[in-house]
Amino acid sequence: MNQKIETLLSQMTLEEKVAQMLQLPYNAAMDFEEALDWARKGAGSFLNVIGEPAKRLQEAACNSRLGIPLVFGVDAVRGHSLNENATIFPTQLACACSWDKEIAREMGKVTAREVATDGLHWTFSPLLCLARDPRWGRVNETFGEDPYLVGELAAATIEGYQGEDLSDAESILACAKHYIAYGEATGARDAYDSEVTYRKVREVFLPPFQKAADAGCATMMTAYGSIDGTPVGIDEHIMKDILREELGFDGFTVTDWKNVTSLVTKQMIAADEEEAAILSAKGGNDMIMASPEFYEAAIHAVRSGKLEEAVIDNAVRHILTIKLRMGLFEHPAKEGKAGCIGCSEHQNAALNAARRSITLLKNNGVLPLSANQKIALIGKNADDIKAQYGDWTFFTHPTPKPDHIAPRPYTTLKEGMEMLSDQVTYTFGCGPLHSERDDLAAAVAAARKADVIVYAVGDEISQVGEKKDRADLALSGRQTELFRELRALGKPIVTVLIASKPLAIPEEAEGSDALIIAFNGGAHGGQAAAEVLFGKEEPTGRLPISFPYHSGQVPVYYNHYFGWHGKSAGGYCEGKYCDLPQDPLFTFGEGLGYTDFAYSNLTFDPATFTAQVTVTNTGKRKGTETAQVYFRDLVSSVLTPMKQLIAYKQITLAPGESQRVTFTLEKMDFSLVNRKEERVVEPGAFRLMVGHSSKDADLLSVDFTL
Ligand code: BGC
């Protein structure tokens, strides 16, 4: 393989090599003739081009002087979701509620098969950023707030996309993004500076990327943002020493959209395009997304001696290595499986993921509903497929089409409930935005005639995504006003949140008899939520992210440090805002079923790092529990999290059944990153905690020394 690449490299002109580094946005920024011209000049890649145009561009590339095939990238981030006929999965955040690696792997496999069937090769997924500030517009794209869970689900997704071998017909390239600390931008301002140190990067943000590298992820995308004032993509320490040497990443890197251009136009780091090109190439960016001016600039920089050609060679080498490993030269288009796009097998996988994503946070006994109750279903989001889909489908990308009619199959919550009961009356009420259709009085009148109210609240696509960070996480529009009116009727009320992320809903949580979090469940999210409401399916979701009481309370992620000035509680000192409770409204790991589980007899053997606990189903229904393992370093040279997830297991138990659950841990699970930025285990006292959620009250604990 090396020989073939070196031979190819030696035949390439400087122009062809620089062109090979380009990834071009034909849809968004150039017409087709210009795109064809680039393909003939030897461009490396296009993004978000689907169907006939992709085929024609590939033909042009294969007929160019050296015939190096294009690699087509696409944002197939929740299924092949820019193709309107494809299977639309729940968002990553919704999938993460399953805490189930098989769900993630299956989503990866199905997506890969559909992308490959469209002849494409590469998805810009999974997203490994941590959602530690829910104001961020892209929380829906994450697997939540915790580095361990994010890493586990990301690695499984990557394995799903890439399969056994990149050259398999149904394997596509994964792309771990956005490297690194992008989700941590100050104030949750998308693509802004992250005020974190390298130590913090290593402690919190790097571990998921390590798992991605270990899973053999073929590509990684450089973040938009900067860390402490240095744009990530020009930071050779981050891009080379850490990514290549330490993590052992051996694929190619791709910038995010116009990162090179932004060095001149937004971040004001480079005086002109040539300087931006030099910084980016030296930084270790192999493929340059959507900055075509890199072409002239980089060529000029090499010709004038400001940039060594070897830097370009190295980038091209990384790209060609992957193209060769994919078998692109023999099979320029992936083939997949004819007829599989949106097929029933794939729809079932999406339905299964949606079922596993539904998270029940409160239930005073009103759930499950029965088919003979008169139900008033209220709220725009109960019957709005756009809100149910959320971000990154054909509605929003590559160009926004908000008025597009979504093809079937899909099921809204209204349709899902109507499948299970003929006693459901739907009223619009109101939605996340003020609208002329708002009619609170009609909703209240309908509710008055019902035995139970199901109220769907949330957000909608204009409130989600890039450039849509929110300062205020409270329910928008007239949703809270309507909640108050419904509650005043004194009838049982079940609130269902169909939203892109945790919203601040303390009043709705407190005032509802039951609360279900459905996030953006994809094509079958409505059916899945309805099945849980009626008890056809057991709720098994657990929160991968904490819910704040109020926007001003963030961050509320569970794995924070000690040391906030305040009252002493539970034997340690932890602060709080004087006008809000100490804990979040709901915290990481929480989620109920229709049965209960008890934990007993926790043991830990420090010699073998083996923990054991007995879990018993103490309720009347079969159920699935997610047993969660956390640790705390009781005394350490730097501040460490109050608790940190290091393992979990899912077990299904019949009523009355018990199981002894074993966790085989490793010494490094108990590590920290010290002041010298080394990951070490410091000898001393530790606490191991095992139980139902990250809440202290849900955990058994055992102390030990290492
Ligand atoms: C996003 C990436 C995405 C890319 C290509 C960017 O704006 O940050 O996540 O993959 O666009 O569409």
Side-chain angles (χ1 to χ4, degrees):
M1 187 187 288
N2 285 350
Q3 196 45 51
K4 173 148 189 190
I5 289 167
E6 294 312 317
T7 309
L8 209 49
L9 257 178
S10 68
Q11 293 166 345
M12 292 170 88
T13 62
L14 175 61
E15 284 76 3
E16 284 165 336
K17 287 190 259 189
V18 177
Q20 192 57 221
M21 291 175 71
L22 295 185
Q23 180 177 64
L24 298 158
Y26 134 70
N27 265 313
M30 60 178 63
D31 66 25
F32 192 64
E33 281 312 311
E34 195 186 341
L36 269 179
D37 196 42
W38 277 115
R40 291 186 199 112
K41 279 204 275 198
S45 176
F46 282 85
L47 77 154
N48 294 344
V49 187
I50 300 179
E52 206 39 43
K55 267 197 203 144
R56 288 187 53 203
L57 291 171
Q58 188 65 292
E59 272 165 25
C62 292
N63 292 325
S64 66
R65 194 179 78 90
L66 291 170
I68 302 174
L70 290 157
V71 60
F72 285 97
V74 63
D75 284 288
V77 305
R78 41 181 307 193
H80 184 23
S81 52
L82 306 197
N83 176 334
E84 61 167 50
N85 297 310
T87 308
I88 313 272
F89 277 80
T91 51
Q92 265 193 216
L93 187 68
C95 285
C97 295
S98 72
W99 286 49
D100 188 342
K101 289 196 270 185
E102 290 317 308
I103 295 283
R105 199 186 315 276
E106 196 56 24
M107 175 174 72
K109 267 194 207 161
V110 167
T111 306
R113 198 176 294 141
E114 296 202 2
V115 168
T117 303
D118 251 348
L120 311 176
H121 317 102
W122 176 20
T123 177
F124 303 125
S125 174
L127 185 136
L128 277 64
C129 308
L130 305 187
R132 306 199 330 156
D133 188 330
R135 294 172 299 175
W136 187 34
R138 305 189 71 172
V139 167
N140 69 98
E141 295 180 56
T142 73
F143 283 126
E145 71 188 26
D146 178 64
Y148 179 80
L149 185 61
V150 168
E152 291 292 291
L153 297 175
T157 310
I158 291 163
E159 287 160 11
Y161 288 141
Q162 298 194 165
E164 293 286 303
D165 194 299
L166 292 181
S167 67
D168 290 347
E170 294 181 4
S171 294
I172 59 170
L173 307 178
C175 181
K177 71 185 187 185
H178 307 82
Y179 184 79
I180 192 164
Y182 170 54
E184 195 73 358
T186 306
R189 295 170 184 188
D190 190 34
Y192 183 57
D193 188 54
S194 300
E195 293 168 15
V196 295
T197 60
Y198 281 126
R199 197 198 70 79
K200 178 66 89 186
V201 166
R202 288 176 186 286
E203 180 196 306
V204 181
F205 306 107
L206 216 46
F209 284 89
Q210 178 70 69
K211 282 188 185 158
D214 293 346
C217 192
T219 75
M220 294 220 189
M221 188 184 294
T222 320
Y224 277 132
S226 46
I227 293 183
D228 189 18
T230 303
V232 174
I234 67 166
D235 187 335
E236 292 185 46
H237 183 51
I238 295 253
M239 294 288 292
K240 292 182 178 168
D241 304 345
I242 297 184
L243 182 61
R244 300 251 173 216
E245 304 302 322
E246 283 184 43
L247 302 197
F249 171 66
D250 66 355
F252 72 81
T253 60
V254 58
T255 70
D256 204 342
W257 186 269
K258 287 190 189 297
N259 274 9
V260 178
T261 318
S262 296
L263 291 172
V264 184
T265 59
K266 289 192 181 155
Q267 293 167 317
M268 275 72 85
I269 285 282
D272 55 27
E273 285 155 4
E274 187 168 319
E275 194 184 352
I278 295 169
L279 287 169
S280 303
K282 280 190 176 165
N285 298 282
D286 301 324
M287 188 166 273
I288 310 293
M289 184 196 289
S291 296
E293 65 279 7
F294 177 84
Y295 182 72
E296 298 292 343
I299 292 169
H300 189 264
V302 174
R303 296 251 192 270
S304 58
K306 288 187 221 148
L307 178 64
E308 282 178 55
E309 190 161 348
V311 174
I312 303 286
D313 287 352
N314 218 19
V316 176
R317 200 172 274 125
H318 291 148
I319 295 167
L320 292 181
T321 303
I322 295 294
K323 286 189 172 181
L324 217 67
R325 273 180 58 199
M326 279 197 105
L328 266 194
F329 291 85
E330 295 79 40
H331 301 286
K334 282 279 177 185
E335 273 159 23
K337 200 175 182 179
C340 82
I341 293 182
C343 69
S344 57
E345 183 194 335
H346 292 181
Q347 298 293 348
N348 279 336
L351 172 60
N352 189 36
R355 284 178 175 146
R356 298 294 314 284
S357 77
I358 304 296
T359 307
L360 176 67
L361 290 179
K362 180 179 180 184
N363 182 16
N364 69 6
V366 65
L367 294 182
L369 301 172
S370 76
N372 53 26
Q373 280 172 304
K374 273 195 251 147
I375 299 167
L377 174 65
I378 295 166
K380 178 170 192 271
N381 278 14
D383 196 30
D384 178 359
I385 191 60
K386 257 185 285 180
Q388 184 172 309
Y389 275 178
D391 204 15
W392 286 110
T393 73
F394 50 87
F395 281 128
T396 55
H397 292 83
T399 42
K401 289 193 273 306
D403 299 323
H404 198 75
I405 307 288
R408 298 281 177 172
Y410 66 79
T411 316
T412 64
L413 177 60
K414 171 178 174 282
E415 293 163 347
M417 290 182 70
E418 286 168 351
M419 276 158 55
L420 299 173
S421 160
D422 54 12
Q423 300 280 314
V424 179
T425 309
Y426 173 70
T427 331
F428 180 89
C430 66
L433 304 178
H434 286 273
S435 93
E436 279 179 9
R437 247 186 104 184
D438 287 359
D439 190 344
L440 277 52
V444 172
R448 207 168 261 128
K449 294 188 209 135
D451 300 322
V452 54
I453 302 163
V454 175
Y455 183 33
V457 297
D459 58 18
E460 60 113 68
I461 53 176
S462 69
Q463 297 168 300
V464 183
E466 292 181 64
K467 303 180 189 154
K468 291 174 194 140
D469 313 315
R470 282 179 70 173
D472 184 357
L473 292 169
L475 286 183
S476 52
R478 300 180 71 184
Q479 297 183 100
T480 297
E481 185 187 339
L482 179 53
F483 178 79
R484 287 178 188 154
E485 293 188 19
L486 295 173
R487 195 186 172 199
L489 300 175
K491 307 220 174 198
I493 175 163
V494 179
T495 297
V496 181
L497 184 76
I498 297 174
S500 63
K501 57 168 139 186
L503 295 175
I505 48 167
E507 186 175 337
E508 291 76 9
E510 208 266 323
S512 297
D513 295 276
L515 174 65
I516 281 192
I517 306 301
F519 288 130
N520 300 119
H524 307 292
Q527 180 180 339
E531 288 171 345
V532 167
L533 282 169
F534 284 101
K536 296 265 168 216
E537 283 287 325
E538 188 69 15
T540 55
R542 300 290 181 264
L543 287 183
I545 187 167
S546 303
F547 274 57
Y549 273 89
H550 186 278
S551 318
Q553 196 192 16
V554 301
V556 291
Y557 51 83
Y558 80 98
N559 45 358
H560 56 91
Y561 294 152
F562 288 94
W564 189 5
H565 224 164
K567 281 188 199 157
S568 194
Y572 53 81
C573 187
E574 193 192 3
K576 71 183 194 70
Y577 290 108
C578 63
D579 49 1
L580 280 177
Q582 184 179 63
D583 294 320
L585 180 60
F586 297 104
T587 192
F588 181 81
E590 274 192 68
L592 304 168
Y594 288 144
T595 188
D596 292 309
F597 295 95
Y599 285 75
S600 58
N601 195 14
L602 171 65
T603 58
F604 179 68
D605 176 4
T608 59
F609 292 98
T610 305
Q612 289 197 308
V613 74
T614 302
V615 184
T616 307
N617 181 345
T618 56
K620 295 198 177 72
R621 288 173 63 121
K622 185 173 160 189
T624 299
E625 171 67 336
T626 301
Q628 304 166 29
V629 182
Y630 299 87
F631 92 103
R632 179 188 308 163
D633 191 333
L634 292 175
V635 182
S636 44
S637 64
V638 289
L639 271 62
T640 48
M642 295 200 159
K643 47 180 90 83
Q644 174 55 53
L645 184 74
I646 47 174
Y648 64 90
K649 260 190 189 167
Q650 300 192 307
I651 38 171
T652 300
L653 297 175
E657 190 184 349
S658 284
Q659 193 175 313
R660 190 91 182 127
V661 185
T662 303
F663 300 94
T664 311
L665 303 165
E666 288 172 11
K667 186 173 177 196
M668 283 313 278
D669 291 334
F670 300 90
S671 63
L672 55 75
V673 177
N674 69 16
R675 276 178 261 171
K676 291 192 212 149
E677 292 178 30
E678 299 154 340
R679 193 166 266 286
V680 295
V681 178
E682 290 184 347
F686 293 82
R687 177 163 301 158
L688 190 87
M689 294 160 270
V690 182
H692 171 75
S693 84
S694 72
K695 272 174 153 173
D696 282 338
D698 283 339
L699 294 166
L700 298 177
S701 72
V702 51
D703 289 359
F704 62 94
T705 50
L706 286 180

